[in-house]
RNA sequence: GGAGAGGUGGCAGAGCGGUUGAAUGCACCGGUCUUGAAAACCGGCAAGGGCGAAAGCCCUUCGUGGGUUCAAAUCCCACCCUCUCCGCCA
């Protein structure tokens, strides 16, 4: 959501920012609606003021036993004029609101220009890409080879883009989640949180999934399945004036995530890369505006720590203007090396995305804090990042740890969680 | 799912047709006092919006949306949520 006052004061800057999002200029149109609405609002408020005043006079007159008929007639006259004006004003307000609520966040000036993911900016590459004396398999071959990953069964029970894990592979999912949560809570101060996986429309609107991206979501009668824990976690501060002394708020949650993948038909159809249901450990930070830039770096490094402890090679990219998501001002993607992809040649795949949304979501959800200096309320900044997508981490463990004989060597950090140092085929 | 009670400012809690944007207490902020702190005392303190250079004026909001009335936190209707009891259930 955008600040109408910013648009009033900086229409050209606003249009220039839209252009970076490949959107046509619209400040002129928005401001026309805005000024029409305000003119109407002033007119309405004048009538309301007169009505309120007259009503008080009526009360005073009647208390003294006087005759108020003339005033009552005047109020009634005002009341006949009001509905049309109010309807018109509401219509303008709604048109303004619906326009603003569908526009993406303005990009941070540090975001590089670019059309799509090919133009993201490489920030750093960490870890050595493993070399194999054999052609590495992908996680599908490995998982099925272990007898612990069954896509046909997932399809039988639910349909395409579902899988059933069993035995040590199901345990690996749990181990990864526990390891990630332990690290974020124990080392980085995030508060473990278990939020609802179904939320109402208002909550979905707060973080930006609605109204524009309804088709990407699964819904029930009156609720929506969360596509990420970012949604419930961030909305915890919605409609609140948060005490600035508790900032930054840092929360982490392990949840299932549900996505219809409406726009991805035919993409990543093999394996567990893109499922309708997957689990993720999410990090959310709520900060003072002055802290959000540093917090994004910190959050990204928290996610990176997980990859490092799991001995997984990865790289960090700064997303370009064309690839940065709707609600984000700025985003770092972490891509893990998956040696089994692309016929065993390997490739990097996204495993985490860390974004600073600035005041964009906070304004949508009215998440504020009180500025100690001025006494005024201001919008918070919100950040979210995956730390990490558990399914894709499991894939990475399999593909990077594979041996020629089909067993998987596990990273040291997981040994205690798994009760073993390796995965072997089930009997 | 059924029955009852209730949803008021950061919190607690009055008000139940007019002068109430809302008593009182707590919290918070400023001041007096104090070596300092506490206590006590004095004062301030809802949010959002419009107009205005500013001072300030005005509008809206007492769960949400309608309705009655010259006038609604107060009356009526619907919905949402919370609590208690019953039923069902992990």
């Amino acid at each position: 959501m955008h600040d109408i006052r910013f648009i009033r004061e900086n229409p050209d800057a606003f249009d220039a920012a839209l252009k970076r999002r490949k959107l046509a200029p619209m400040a002129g149109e928005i401001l026309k609606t805005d000024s029409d609405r305000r003119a109407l609002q002033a007119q309405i408020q004048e009538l309301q003021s007169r009505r309120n005043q007259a009503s008080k006079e009526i009360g005073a007159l009647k208390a003294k036993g006087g005759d108020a008929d003339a005033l009552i007639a005047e109020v009634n006259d005002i009341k006949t004029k009001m509905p049309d004006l109010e309807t018109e004003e509401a219509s303008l307000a709604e048109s303004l609101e619906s326009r603003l609520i569908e526009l993406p966040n303005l990009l941070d000036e540090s975001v590089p220009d670019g059309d799509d993911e090919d133009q993201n900016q490489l920030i750093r590459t960490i870890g050595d890409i493993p070399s194999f004396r054999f052609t590495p398999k992908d996680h599908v071959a490995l998982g099925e080879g272990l007898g612990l990953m069954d896509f046909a069964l997932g399809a039988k029970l639910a349909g395409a883009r579902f899988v059933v894990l069993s035995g040590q592979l199901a345990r690996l999912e749990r181990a990864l989640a526990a390891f990630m949560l332990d690290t974020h809570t124990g080392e980085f101060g995030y508060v473990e949180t278990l939020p609802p996986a179904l939320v109402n429309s208002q909550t979905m609107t707060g973080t930006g999934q609605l109204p524009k991206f309804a088709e990407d979501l699964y819904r029930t009668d009156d609720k929506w399945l969360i596509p990420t824990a970012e949604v419930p976690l961030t909305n915890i501060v919605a409609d609140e004036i948060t005490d600035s002394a508790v900032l930054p708020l840092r929360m982490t949650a392990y949840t299932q995530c549900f996505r219809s993948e409406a726009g991805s038909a035919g993409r990543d159809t093999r394996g567990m890369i893109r499922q309708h249901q997957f689990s993720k450990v999410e990090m959310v930070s709520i900060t003072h505006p002055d802290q959000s830039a540093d917090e994004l770096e910190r959050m990204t490094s928290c996610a990176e720590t997980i990859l490092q402890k799991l001995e997984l090679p990865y790289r960090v990219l700064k997303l370009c203007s064309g690839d940065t998501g709707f609600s984000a001002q700025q985003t770092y993607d972490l891509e893990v090396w998956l040696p089994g992809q692309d016929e065993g040649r390997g490739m990097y795949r996204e495993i985490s995305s860390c974004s600073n949304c600035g005041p964009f979501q906070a304004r949508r959800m009215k998440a504020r804090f009180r500025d100690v200096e001025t006494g005024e309320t201001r919008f918070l900044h919100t950040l979210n990042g995956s730390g990490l997508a558990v399914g894709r981490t499991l894939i990475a463990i399999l593909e990077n740890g594979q041996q020629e004989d089909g067993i998987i060597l596990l990273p040291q950090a997981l040994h205690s969680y798994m009760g073993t140092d390796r995965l072997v085929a089930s009997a």
Side-chain angles (χ1 to χ4, degrees):
Chain A
M1 187 86 141
H2 297 286
D3 183 359
I4 186 68
R5 276 174 289 200
F6 174 83
I7 305 175
R8 280 177 205 154
E9 287 159 26
N10 311 278
D12 295 337
F14 184 74
D15 278 343
L18 289 183
K19 190 176 181 188
R20 295 198 69 199
R21 289 284 199 174
K22 295 184 186 145
L23 292 167
M26 51 185 75
E29 192 185 332
I30 288 170
L31 291 181
K32 173 72 167 67
T33 309
D34 178 51
S35 69
D36 287 354
R37 188 187 76 84
R38 281 192 288 164
L40 206 48
Q41 189 179 14
Q43 206 180 333
I44 289 168
Q45 289 184 357
E46 204 172 308
L47 287 172
Q48 287 171 328
S49 178
R50 177 56 202 150
R51 180 202 59 194
N52 293 344
Q53 190 192 339
S55 288
K56 281 184 184 171
E57 289 171 18
I58 291 167
L61 267 177
K62 288 204 165 183
K64 283 186 279 183
D67 176 12
D69 287 354
L71 280 170
I72 291 176
E74 184 189 349
V75 171
N76 280 328
D77 185 50
I78 289 172
K79 291 207 320 182
T80 61
K81 292 181 189 162
M82 298 278 290
D84 283 352
L85 294 174
E86 285 174 339
T87 304
E88 175 69 8
E89 195 272 339
S91 151
L92 287 172
E94 193 190 324
S95 122
L96 199 58
E97 167 84 4
S98 65
R99 172 58 62 91
L100 292 177
I101 204 111
E102 296 216 0
L103 290 177
N105 200 351
L106 305 182
L107 297 167
D108 190 87
E109 45 190 47
S110 69
V111 172
D113 276 312
D115 296 328
D116 53 36
E117 67 265 22
D118 295 332
Q119 289 168 64
N120 292 337
Q121 182 180 37
L122 180 62
I123 303 293
R124 56 184 169 268
T125 303
I126 308 288
D128 298 322
I129 288 175
S131 58
F132 296 87
R133 287 174 307 172
F134 55 96
T135 302
K137 297 173 179 168
D138 77 354
H139 66 280
V140 179
L142 294 166
E144 291 179 340
L146 291 169
L148 302 173
M149 182 184 289
D150 194 333
F151 290 94
L153 186 51
K156 178 181 110 172
L157 296 174
R161 293 198 193 280
F162 286 93
V163 68
V164 176
L165 302 181
S166 56
Q168 282 289 79
L169 217 43
R171 179 173 177 171
L172 179 56
E173 148 92 22
R174 174 164 58 90
L176 284 168
F179 163 69
M180 292 176 192
L181 288 171
D182 287 347
T183 304
H184 292 316
T185 57
E187 290 189 28
F188 302 129
Y190 287 86
V191 175
E192 185 168 349
T193 308
L194 185 58
L198 275 76
V199 299
N200 59 30
S201 295
Q202 187 179 330
T203 297
M204 273 306 179
T205 305
T207 30
Q209 281 70 27
L210 290 180
K212 205 173 176 189
F213 305 105
E215 66 169 21
D216 296 333
L217 304 171
Y218 286 111
R219 68 183 306 178
T220 66
D221 286 350
D222 64 338
K223 300 198 185 342
W224 306 80
L225 277 68
I226 58 170
T228 161
E230 166 201 345
V231 174
L233 291 185
T234 309
N235 275 282
I236 284 173
V237 293
D239 290 312
E240 302 284 346
I241 300 175
T242 301
D243 183 355
S244 60
V246 307
L247 300 177
L249 284 174
R250 296 192 176 108
M251 296 166 278
T252 184
Y254 167 63
T255 69
Q256 299 295 316
C257 303
F258 304 91
R259 298 184 183 179
S260 73
E261 298 296 346
S264 342
R267 274 174 54 196
D268 301 319
T269 49
R270 180 175 168 82
M272 282 179 61
I273 298 269
R274 193 176 298 277
Q275 301 272 285
H276 286 310
Q277 173 186 343
F278 63 98
S279 61
K280 183 156 58 68
V281 170
E282 182 77 357
M283 300 173 282
V284 161
S285 293
I286 311 292
T287 76
H288 186 284
D290 296 344
Q291 298 171 325
S292 66
D294 288 345
E295 185 72 10
L296 177 61
E297 302 301 323
R298 182 186 193 273
M299 178 180 278
T300 305
S301 92
C302 292
E304 288 186 63
T305 298
I306 301 293
L307 286 163
Q308 289 164 15
K309 286 177 184 272
L310 293 176
E311 302 161 35
L312 295 170
Y314 68 95
R315 63 184 187 181
V316 183
L317 302 166
K318 182 155 185 158
L319 297 192
C320 72
S321 56
D323 204 27
T324 301
F326 181 82
S327 294
Q329 260 179 6
Q330 180 184 344
T331 299
Y332 289 118
D333 265 13
L334 270 47
E335 295 188 337
V336 70
W337 178 253
L338 296 180
Q341 300 296 302
D342 191 22
E343 312 288 328
R345 286 181 286 273
M347 66 190 291
Y348 284 103
R349 290 301 306 247
E350 178 187 339
I351 197 167
S352 171
S353 195
C354 299
S355 299
N356 182 0
C357 297
F360 181 82
Q361 294 178 323
R363 193 173 287 113
R364 294 171 82 96
M365 63 176 83
K366 298 180 178 58
R368 295 152 294 166
F369 72 100
R370 192 172 302 283
D371 191 311
V372 187
E373 314 258 302
T374 66
E376 296 182 329
T377 60
R378 294 176 63 190
F379 289 112
L380 292 159
H381 281 197
T382 63
L383 301 94
N384 62 80
S386 1
L388 309 160
V390 177
R392 289 189 181 180
T393 307
L394 183 143
I395 290 172
I397 297 288
L398 294 183
E399 295 194 7
N400 283 280
Q402 63 180 296
Q403 307 297 308
E404 192 158 15
D405 59 4
I407 71 162
I408 313 291
L409 292 184
L410 297 170
Q412 180 79 42
L414 294 178
H415 292 180
S416 62
Y417 289 96
M418 289 297 292
T420 178
D421 65 351
R422 65 192 59 204
L423 299 179
V424 298
S426 65

